[in-house]
Amino acid sequence: MPQHRSALSRPLFGRMSGLLSGLLFLAGCAGMPADRGLSSVSEIVAARGEVRPVWSVNATDELEARNRVQALLAGGLDAEEAAEVALLQSAALRAGLEEVGISHADLVSASRPANPLASFFARFPDGSTGARGTNLGLDLTQSLLGLLALPSRTAAAEARVRAATLRAADEALLLAAETRAALYAVQAAKSVAAMRGLAAQAAGQAAELSRRLHAAGNLSALRLALDEAEYEELLAEAGRAQADLAEAHADASRLMGLGETAWDVSGPLPGLPANDPAAEGLVLLTLDNRLDLASARALADASGREHGLAVDWRFLDDLAAGASAEKETDGRWVVGPSLEISIPLFDQGQGRVAEAEGRLRRQIWEVRALAADAAAEVRGLAARLAARRGVAERLRDRVVPLREKAVAEWQKHYNFMLAGYAELLAAKRAEYRAYEDYVTAVRDWWILLAQLRRASGGRLPGDAPRAEPLRLPDGAAPTKPPADAPAPDHGHGAHAH
Amino acid sequence: MFTRRRLLAALAGLAGGALLRPARLLAQHQDHGGHAAHGASPDPHAGHAAPAPDAPPATHGTPARPGRVIVPDTPALPWRMSGGVKEFHLVAEPVEREFAPGMTVRAWGYNGSTPGPTIEATEGDRVRILVSNRLPEHTSVHWHGIFLPNGMDGVGGLTQPHIKPGETYAYEFDLRQHGTFMYHPHADEMVQLAAGMMGFFIVHPRVPEEPVDRDFAIMLHAWAVHPGTSRPDPAVMLDFNLFTFNSKVWPATSPLIVRKGDRVRLRLANLSMDEHPIHLHGHRFWVGATDGGVIPPSARWPETTVLVPVGATRDVLFIADAPGDWALHCHKSHHTMNPMGHDIPNMLGVSQAGVEEEIRKHLPGYMAMGETGMADMQDHAAHMQGPANTLPMMAGRGPFGNIEMGGMFTVLKVREHLASYDRDPGWHRHPPGTTARKVAP
């Protein structure tokens, strides 16, 4: 009998394990990618016009990335290079990127069925019955509901992986955009500080002449106090500009994840390119390209699949099949299948279905809200960009040349003793102020462009804008301290070095 | 009488285009007025536009007639006899005036000129002066100092209606006195005088009382033409920046050329808002008349400077007995200077060493000026650019260096041997031992 019993029992276990492996194969059981999903983020980021970031869990690759960052920092940064540094270096971004790995882990979990459940018992008969054998029982149960729902659950988890990947890429693009903006702010702050320095210097020269006039008995203490006060006020303004520069530098450092590392910009702000990106089709492009929108759509997809699961299995809380074997006290084995099924008497899954539907609907609304926001943002940015261009062009083509013209005319008045040094130097200060306004306007344009690029999904139509370096008065280029102004016969208003 | 042929001859003899227009107007007037008789004019002055061959040539193109007034840089107003009346035609209009090379002013004047052309007549004449208005606003003409019927006095609103743009008025009166008088608008004076509307009205005595060899007239005026502009600013009341002899500034003022021993009359008239002490070097003179009439010789005293009040004329008389180049100028030093800033810092005694180089980093054209005075300015101006249409504050070069003058300054050139009054004899040749010489170091 024992042989018979064992002969009965063996094929049953064999059949069950064969069925399990078959189901696992059908479910396409997922494994954890070696790079935790980082390369697919890299892929998307590179496709949006960024330098392909090398993110790795591998120490050698990390070293490579660190060397690249060091090389970039050594040469001084422009906006594009700063964005690359931020992508490689920002720990905050890397923390966000781990979400992709976590979503993959969730997928791994979701793509595997629940393990079969085995239960065993041994019962010892009371001697009064005369039975001496031990009553042994073995149950093996596999939840069927989990197995049947496995393909749908895997698909939902895959959608969540897509969503997490897209969101991580979006965060990377956002970081790149913010870093670009921060770098433009540093470049501009540096030029503004240089302009304020020059203005203070010019006022200082006027104040020095006033002191000499006072000493010679030609200028009252009142006039001298006014001239010196003007100088000191300009020094304070120059100091404020230095503080603004330090703040901008710290913001950029923070975004790039640079901590204490020293770095500088490689040159002044680029000038205004010839054209704004074409505004037509920008909204359609945004709806197609924007990654947070795509991520939300992927989440809606996941929610849709989860809703489908809830609907399909609404009447079943659980379904399990198994085999049960028991050795009676008389030593005989009884073997047979088992099935567990919940009876939808009280709960027909209404709550689960409604919740899943709620989640799906909420996600759909979120997609719509994001799309509407993105369209409005892009339209607004494009309009502001055009308006800022108008401001920057007016400052460049009218205000600055007119201030320069005014200086030239004051100089002629000075030449003929029709004006004094104070008016002439004040006119020069007004010219520096015009340049400062111009720099600020060009900065605003570049920052808006970076925002627009991010808002429209990372890649604007047409070529990357090309621009000459900004025209600044001599001695005002950010890479040179104001004291290094070239010799007078160079003339002012040449291109910055 | 005035004929067409005579007119053409007169036109041919005229210097400058300024006179063409009134002459043409006169011709048209003639056509409308009917026939003119042929023959020589009985009036000895009728031929003034075609100088007699024996007449001494005038200074700078002024038509010359014996005993007539030389108004440097200013035309004379032609006239014609019409029924026994000497008829003139003034046209009030915008004019362009070169104060000196490099500066032209958009002024208002008469017959293309400021000062307007000089009206000359003789005591006892009956004159008719037609005044046409080509200005953008109404005007009138007041005959300053002349005895006339009240209704001919030319005070707009008070004694006559204003002459509106496009209108022509006739003034007509007998000349019952002689002397140096003026004409000017008595309408919107702040604008019209600031813009240069003024002229001489000279009435000769029927019998010359104090004949002279050279009879000059200079109209004094002050202008506000801001640096870099060309139109006088009528809102300025004190801060004038250009001071003119006959609407010219030194170095463009004409010299007064005389022979040694000439009896000279210099008529000075002032329509500016400031008095001008006019000083002559090397001579003394007697103030012989004002616009109120002749000062009896017993009441005159010798002077070297005559203060010409606002709204007045002074005739001074002297004998040019000292050969040389003698300065004739307003003695207010800022009146012998072309534009200079009134609010510029006083750099006298202030070294800019060390700062100048620093400032050049901002202003490559910057140059320290004024530490030792302003005399360097004249040489600086030669190589530094000033505002458009603006003269440097000092100018003029003489045989010994920069003259450093401007505005109301000219030279009386007294020569023993003079080929022609009409030709500048150049600089005075000083006899040996008669010039200041350096004795140290």
Side-chain angles (χ1 to χ4, degrees):
Chain A
M1 285 306 280
Q3 293 91 343
H4 172 66
R5 281 190 294 268
S6 58
L8 266 178
S9 60
R10 209 173 287 122
L12 178 68
F13 281 109
R15 266 202 296 280
M16 278 183 75
S17 55
L19 178 68
L20 278 173
S21 25
L23 281 170
L24 287 177
F25 175 76
L26 282 174
C29 180
M32 193 66 199
D35 66 353
R36 306 183 66 81
L38 295 181
S39 63
S40 47
V41 182
S42 262
E43 205 78 25
I44 299 170
V45 167
R48 303 305 162 109
E50 303 295 340
V51 176
R52 181 188 300 268
V54 183
W55 292 309
S56 173
V57 289
N58 173 313
T60 320
D61 290 353
E62 286 289 289
L63 186 67
E64 197 178 299
R66 248 200 315 279
N67 289 341
R68 172 69 182 152
V69 167
Q70 288 309 320
L72 285 170
L73 293 180
L77 298 176
D78 65 16
E80 297 308 310
E81 292 161 342
E84 191 184 342
V85 169
L87 292 182
L88 291 176
Q89 181 77 15
S90 168
L93 177 66
R94 294 298 296 267
L97 289 179
E98 287 305 324
E99 290 293 330
V100 179
I102 293 168
S103 73
H104 271 287
D106 289 346
L107 170 60
V108 168
S109 299
S111 66
R112 283 161 201 273
N115 290 325
L117 211 63
S119 67
F120 174 79
F121 67 84
R123 284 178 262 192
F124 305 99
D126 169 357
S128 62
T129 60
R132 282 170 305 157
T134 306
N135 175 208
L136 293 174
L138 177 66
D139 279 344
L140 196 63
T141 317
Q142 174 69 44
S143 163
L144 286 182
L145 189 60
L147 274 177
L148 293 169
L150 201 62
S152 293
R153 241 173 51 204
T154 305
E158 280 168 352
R160 289 197 184 275
V161 168
R162 277 205 309 281
T165 306
L166 288 163
R167 186 173 27 252
D170 186 55
E171 277 172 17
L173 292 187
L174 180 60
L175 177 68
E178 286 179 341
T179 307
R180 278 191 191 94
L183 200 96
Y184 294 139
V186 175
Q187 288 174 319
K190 204 153 184 178
S191 295
V192 166
M195 291 302 132
R196 298 253 182 102
L198 286 170
Q201 211 179 60
Q205 286 151 6
E208 171 59 21
L209 286 183
S210 295
R211 273 191 290 277
R212 292 188 188 190
L213 260 77
H214 180 66
N218 301 8
L219 194 80
S220 70
L222 167 64
R223 291 280 146 203
L224 177 59
L226 293 175
D227 291 352
E228 289 189 315
E230 202 156 27
Y231 171 45
E232 296 296 334
E233 280 166 4
L234 285 170
L235 278 181
E237 268 201 43
R240 274 196 283 277
Q242 288 295 342
D244 291 347
L245 171 59
E247 187 183 344
H249 191 275
D251 281 348
S253 292
R254 187 177 50 74
L255 286 166
M256 289 188 282
L258 284 178
E260 290 181 10
T261 315
W263 62 275
D264 201 355
V265 294
S266 59
L269 208 57
L272 198 63
N275 297 302
D276 290 345
E280 294 136 49
L282 216 49
V283 169
L284 281 179
L285 182 85
T286 300
L287 297 180
D288 280 349
N289 279 2
R290 199 157 144 148
L291 295 179
D292 54 352
L293 194 55
S295 172
R297 284 201 198 98
L299 284 181
D301 182 21
S303 294
R305 287 172 193 279
E306 282 154 4
H307 177 251
L309 263 173
V311 169
D312 288 350
W313 303 100
R314 62 188 303 171
F315 297 114
L316 277 182
D317 285 341
D318 200 8
L319 174 67
S324 182
E326 187 172 341
K327 184 185 175 195
E328 304 289 352
T329 48
D330 57 3
R332 288 182 303 165
W333 279 91
V334 288
V335 179
S338 71
L339 183 72
E340 273 179 51
I341 187 161
S342 62
I343 299 165
L345 191 60
F346 307 111
D347 178 3
Q348 289 99 37
Q350 296 95 327
R352 288 195 302 280
V353 169
E355 184 192 341
E357 188 183 328
R359 289 184 192 283
L360 174 60
R361 294 172 74 92
R362 182 178 70 190
Q363 196 55 40
I364 289 168
W365 283 118
E366 275 176 9
V367 169
R368 288 190 185 174
L370 258 178
D373 277 3
E377 186 185 2
V378 160
R379 272 181 213 277
L381 285 169
R384 283 165 67 198
L385 194 71
R388 285 288 177 190
R389 161 174 294 277
V391 172
E393 282 179 344
R394 181 155 303 281
L395 285 160
R396 182 191 64 190
D397 301 337
R398 301 296 299 154
V399 176
V400 164
L402 285 169
R403 285 293 174 193
E404 286 175 339
K405 166 93 172 153
V407 169
E409 289 297 320
W410 273 118
Q411 179 70 58
K412 291 179 191 171
H413 279 66
Y414 175 86
N415 289 349
F416 274 29
M417 283 200 166
L418 299 161
Y421 61 88
E423 290 151 308
L424 182 55
L425 286 165
K428 190 67 189 176
R429 270 166 28 209
E431 182 194 309
Y432 290 137
R433 181 59 198 236
Y435 269 107
E436 183 187 323
D437 288 349
Y438 166 46
V439 166
T440 308
V442 171
R443 174 202 67 190
D444 290 346
W445 187 90
W446 279 111
I447 288 177
L448 283 170
L449 185 78
Q451 289 172 350
L452 180 62
R453 179 171 163 186
R454 187 266 157 178
S456 62
R459 173 162 267 177
L460 290 165
D463 298 329
R466 206 165 296 189
E468 296 293 307
L470 200 67
R471 195 174 76 89
L472 292 171
D474 276 351
T479 47
K480 280 173 98 178
D484 287 355
D489 46 350
H490 275 216
H492 74 102
H495 279 69
H497 314 284
Chain B
M1 301 302 280
F2 213 70
T3 67
R4 201 182 257 277
R5 221 175 65 208
R6 222 180 154 75
L7 175 70
L8 288 173
L11 281 176
L14 288 178
L19 290 173
L20 290 176
R21 192 152 38 193
R24 194 186 68 235
L25 281 172
L26 281 173
Q28 285 165 351
H29 188 85
Q30 184 80 18
D31 288 344
H32 290 293
H35 305 287
H38 286 263
S41 163
D43 188 297
H45 305 318
H48 72 275
D54 57 344
T59 302
H60 285 255
T62 306
R65 295 129 297 160
R68 288 285 146 165
V69 178
I70 301 145
V71 191
D73 309 306
T74 308
L77 187 61
W79 48 270
R80 59 163 208 160
M81 292 306 292
S82 174
V85 178
K86 212 175 245 183
E87 192 172 275
F88 296 86
H89 192 166
L90 281 177
V91 180
E93 60 187 353
V95 301
E96 292 210 340
R97 178 66 162 181
E98 187 187 73
F99 277 21
M103 185 189 193
T104 300
V105 174
R106 295 182 208 198
W108 286 2
Y110 299 93
N111 303 49
S113 176
T114 172
T118 302
I119 298 172
E120 275 186 78
T122 304
E123 187 178 2
D125 284 348
R126 184 172 181 79
V127 293
R128 181 184 303 128
I129 305 159
L130 303 172
V131 177
S132 297
N133 183 4
R134 287 196 195 147
L135 296 171
E137 70 166 355
H138 69 225
T139 190
S140 73
V141 183
H142 167 59
W143 316 99
H144 178 112
I146 293 175
F147 307 144
L148 35 60
N150 187 223
M152 295 293 168
D153 198 39
V155 180
L158 179 65
T159 63
Q160 68 163 92
H162 293 107
I163 308 171
K164 294 192 178 64
E167 290 180 345
T168 298
Y169 272 56
Y171 294 87
E172 188 167 333
F173 43 86
D174 294 314
L175 297 175
R176 299 186 276 128
Q177 68 204 109
H178 63 84
T180 303
F181 308 106
M182 304 181 281
Y183 64 88
H184 64 81
H186 224 297
D188 193 12
E189 285 189 56
M190 272 305 289
V191 168
Q192 297 188 8
L193 282 175
M197 299 190 73
M198 56 196 174
F200 274 110
F201 194 139
I202 286 162
V203 183
H204 295 284
R206 186 142 287 282
V207 179
E209 292 170 358
E210 293 178 280
V212 293
D213 301 300
R214 298 288 276 164
D215 194 348
F216 295 102
I218 295 176
M219 180 73 74
L220 311 173
H221 203 44
W223 307 70
V225 185
H226 304 301
T229 73
S230 57
R231 196 180 294 281
D233 180 353
V236 171
M237 293 158 211
L238 295 171
D239 276 350
F240 298 98
N241 62 354
L242 287 154
F243 302 89
T244 53
F245 282 173
N246 292 332
S247 304
K248 287 277 184 188
V249 295
W250 175 262
T253 50
S254 292
L256 307 184
I257 297 162
V258 302
R259 278 197 185 88
K260 187 193 169 194
D262 275 353
R263 290 163 299 166
V264 181
R265 180 189 288 117
L266 176 57
R267 303 168 189 259
L268 300 163
N270 181 8
L271 279 173
S272 78
M273 285 199 254
D274 202 352
E275 61 196 17
H276 299 287
I278 303 297
H279 176 59
L280 175 62
H281 291 208
H283 294 79
R284 66 171 181 182
F285 51 67
W286 306 81
V287 181
T290 73
D291 39 348
V294 173
I295 299 171
S298 61
R300 303 174 186 174
W301 64 83
E303 282 278 20
T304 65
T305 298
V306 57
L307 186 68
V308 188
V310 179
T313 73
R314 293 290 182 267
D315 292 1
V316 302
L317 296 156
F318 63 94
I319 293 169
D321 53 5
D325 292 332
W326 302 107
L328 173 73
H329 62 92
C330 179
H331 217 293
K332 292 184 173 180
S333 48
H334 67 291
H335 291 191
T336 52
M337 190 185 75
N338 289 331
M340 177 187 153
H342 294 182
D343 307 317
I344 61 170
N346 181 3
M347 305 308 291
L348 202 56
V350 178
S351 165
Q352 299 197 37
V355 185
E356 184 185 6
E357 300 74 39
E358 288 300 308
I359 293 179
R360 278 214 197 101
K361 291 175 183 169
H362 298 271
L363 301 159
Y366 185 81
M367 188 170 186
M369 287 191 284
E371 179 187 352
T372 59
M374 297 183 189
D376 290 347
M377 183 60 214
Q378 186 166 344
D379 287 332
H380 289 170
H383 60 86
M384 296 197 303
Q385 205 187 347
N389 201 44
T390 302
L391 297 168
M393 59 186 273
M394 47 176 75
R397 197 159 167 84
F400 300 102
N402 291 334
I403 295 173
E404 298 167 358
M405 285 281 137
M408 292 175 162
F409 182 92
T410 189
V411 179
L412 174 74
K413 297 194 169 191
V414 184
R415 295 290 183 273
E416 260 172 301
H417 307 290
L418 194 63
S420 160
Y421 282 127
D422 200 23
R423 200 168 301 126
D424 189 327
W427 302 115
H428 177 58
R429 287 166 198 230
H430 300 270
T434 66
T435 55
R437 65 191 192 283
K438 180 158 82 178
V439 293

